[in-house]
Amino acid sequence: MTTTPLDWILDADPLPNAALEAQAKRCLLDLVGVAAGATRTELADRARRFAVSQHGGERPLLFADGRASPTGVALHGAWLIDALDAHDGQVLTKGHAGVALLPGLLALPEVAQLSGRDFLALLTLGYEVATRAGIALHATSPDYHTSGAWNALGVAAMAGRLLGLDRRQLHHALGIAEFYGPRSQMMRCIDHPTMLKDGSGWGAMTGISAALLARDGFTGAPALTVTVPEVEHLWHDLGHRWYLDEQYFKAYPVCRWAQPAVEAVLSLRFGVDDPATISRIEITTFHEGKRLHVMHPDSTEQAQYSLPWSVAAALARGTLDTDAVTTLDDPVLRALASRVEIHESDTFNARFPAERWASARLHLDGGRVLESEPCEARGNPHNPLSDDELIAKYHGLAEPVLGKRAEELKRIILTLETRAVGDLLDLLGPAEAD
């Protein structure tokens, strides 16, 4: 039995049973679908141009023309997935691991030597390290940093094992990743949504850089989120508690904090014959959800971080899809969003971040009022999306971009443990519908 995080990262089997294997494939399928869907955003082409022009190299980009260095591939891929806020997350980190892990794993040429099972095992390892680092950072820092501040350590751990780093080198890689990781303030992006998103592009790039630097003898200060006494308890259960199983999957491509309100209004929609008859929409939620305040977004980033827009789209369309956050000139949605009022609940505040809740009251013409029960977002471990729902989400995101390739890619991912990883890599090229 290993006793330290470094020993576990270097020597453990991160995929000891079939249930974890299945969960790793679910995460991979969801991330790939989000990456494909995200190619429709404005950020996607900007990310490609920057990676190719400023990080020149020979590694292929995820679903994009051009090639870049390993750092450029990691940066581009995480920027791409982060461009569409539909990827997995974990409540105690208040953020996202997979968005950086998959691009980080694809960045290095050594990945082509792996079996499909080994690829899934490294991805699992990354989730375990990144999630613990994220929880540790929130426990030891007074500020709320973006996911890139801690998912960089998961990328460095995966890359370190893939590159064959020794124990000393891995120690320095984790320290470099933590020190250089983007300690950017998350709530600035909530209050002013832009292409900065959740810092995960820089997190993925930093993690790959850290492993490559450490291999070359570059030294780093110890990673405090791994080594200080007050976080030891978060690392002692490596190999026993699996944070991979505690990731949530999003039903909709918007900030998780808006999704309880979406579920609340959807629970009332059956009682609304015509959304135009809704005169007022009251949402009660937690403080962070209330901060998603933009009423009439003029960019997809603003739409993805807008509770009023998310609620309006759900009421008008009965769901919330990529079109709702990329096509922003719909007069019906703009009118409904104008009718949203957001209130804060002390009870819901006390449950955050482990739980996120909201309720809704719809005021209809004629004086009728519909009131929901308190609602959570779907997709948590205790209220999961089914396999069928996840697959439908994947197809909804990937098919418009990949065409027939989407079905073949799904088949490869769902049987990846029996394949060479090259079968997967061959299908991750430019996103042109077949």
Side-chain angles (χ1 to χ4, degrees):
M1 177 177 169
T2 58
T3 58
T4 72
L6 295 181
D7 292 332
W8 188 86
I9 291 167
L10 291 173
D11 300 324
D13 178 4
L15 204 63
N17 59 61
L20 278 176
E21 191 175 88
Q23 179 72 348
K25 290 188 292 186
R26 284 162 60 90
C27 290
L28 177 58
L29 183 72
D30 195 60
L31 290 167
V32 169
V34 174
T39 61
R40 301 167 60 186
T41 65
E42 291 185 22
L43 177 53
D45 194 51
R46 287 168 174 77
R48 181 195 64 79
R49 292 201 304 269
F50 185 84
V52 170
S53 66
Q54 303 301 318
H55 292 260
E58 297 302 320
R59 297 293 298 150
L61 298 178
L62 176 61
F63 292 142
D65 290 314
R67 292 177 177 266
S69 67
T71 55
V73 169
L75 175 65
H76 166 269
W79 262 345
L80 177 65
I81 295 172
D82 217 10
L84 188 63
D85 206 347
H87 45 87
D88 61 32
Q90 203 273 345
V91 293
L92 297 180
T93 65
K94 297 185 283 187
H96 311 276
V99 57
L101 298 175
L102 176 58
L105 194 49
L106 295 174
L108 295 167
E110 289 81 1
V111 72
Q113 303 167 8
L114 297 174
S115 67
R117 185 192 182 278
D118 287 343
F119 183 93
L120 294 170
L122 279 179
L123 187 64
T124 302
L125 182 151
Y127 274 99
E128 297 307 313
V129 172
T131 304
R132 284 173 171 81
I135 297 171
L137 182 60
H138 287 305
T140 55
S141 172
D143 205 354
Y144 175 12
H145 296 108
T146 56
S147 298
W150 49 265
N151 60 32
L153 278 79
V155 174
M158 290 189 314
R161 181 148 170 174
L162 182 58
L163 293 171
L165 301 189
D166 61 28
R167 197 176 190 278
R168 179 179 181 277
Q169 290 170 323
L170 179 62
H171 167 81
H172 287 296
L174 295 175
I176 296 165
E178 183 184 88
F179 192 87
Y180 284 152
R183 292 283 181 104
S184 37
Q185 298 80 33
M186 183 63 209
M187 296 311 293
R188 287 176 61 189
C189 191
I190 296 299
D191 293 336
H192 307 282
T194 68
M195 292 180 181
L196 292 171
K197 300 301 286 285
D198 197 22
S200 291
W202 239 248
M205 179 182 69
T206 300
I208 291 297
S209 300
L212 293 172
L213 285 166
R215 184 177 66 172
D216 194 45
F218 197 97
T219 58
L224 300 183
T225 55
V226 182
T227 61
V228 296
E230 53 264 45
V231 301
E232 284 182 0
H233 66 286
L234 297 174
W235 297 94
H236 282 169
D237 59 1
L238 274 164
H240 300 281
R241 177 176 182 171
W242 295 95
Y243 278 105
L244 182 71
D245 283 332
E246 298 184 27
Q247 307 299 311
Y248 61 71
F249 296 97
K250 290 185 176 182
Y252 315 108
V254 296
C255 179
R256 188 67 169 174
W257 300 346
Q259 297 197 23
V262 169
E263 298 296 351
V265 297
L266 286 176
S267 73
L268 301 176
R269 193 172 182 272
F270 68 93
V272 181
D273 294 328
D274 181 358
T277 64
I278 302 173
S279 59
R280 186 175 163 212
I281 304 163
E282 288 187 88
I283 301 296
T284 301
T285 189
F286 52 99
H287 172 77
E288 287 78 4
K290 185 180 178 182
R291 295 272 285 271
L292 301 169
H293 65 280
V294 176
M295 188 168 291
H296 295 143
D298 58 18
S299 70
T300 183
E301 286 78 28
Q302 288 185 348
Q304 291 173 53
Y305 286 126
S306 168
L307 188 151
W309 191 259
S310 299
V311 165
L315 284 170
R317 303 181 179 188
T319 188
L320 186 53
D321 57 15
T322 304
D323 285 340
V325 295
T326 55
T327 305
L328 307 178
D329 57 357
D330 186 327
V332 173
L333 298 192
R334 294 180 71 84
L336 280 173
S338 298
R339 299 168 193 160
V340 175
E341 302 172 6
I342 310 176
H343 307 289
E344 188 173 327
S345 161
D346 290 339
T347 299
F348 294 164
N349 283 341
R351 295 181 178 184
F352 182 81
E355 302 174 26
R356 296 98 186 272
W357 290 85
S359 60
R361 286 166 57 93
L362 304 184
H363 298 258
L364 307 180
D365 292 346
R368 191 160 63 101
V369 177
L370 303 178
E371 185 167 0
S372 78
E373 296 293 326
C375 292
E376 283 189 283
R378 292 185 298 126
N380 298 299
H382 64 274
N383 61 353
L385 300 183
S386 68
D387 286 345
D388 287 345
E389 287 177 303
L390 268 182
I391 289 172
K393 173 188 171 183
Y394 164 81
H395 280 293
L397 292 167
E399 279 184 0
V401 175
L402 302 178
K404 295 178 181 178
R405 193 185 355 155
E407 179 63 29
E408 176 66 5
L409 187 51
K410 180 192 74 175
R411 188 175 66 84
I412 295 296
I413 291 171
L414 294 182
T415 56
L416 190 59
E417 75 280 9
T418 67
R419 299 175 174 276
V421 77
D423 294 348
L424 171 67
L425 303 181
D426 289 344
L427 295 176
L428 298 180
E432 298 171 356
D434 297 333

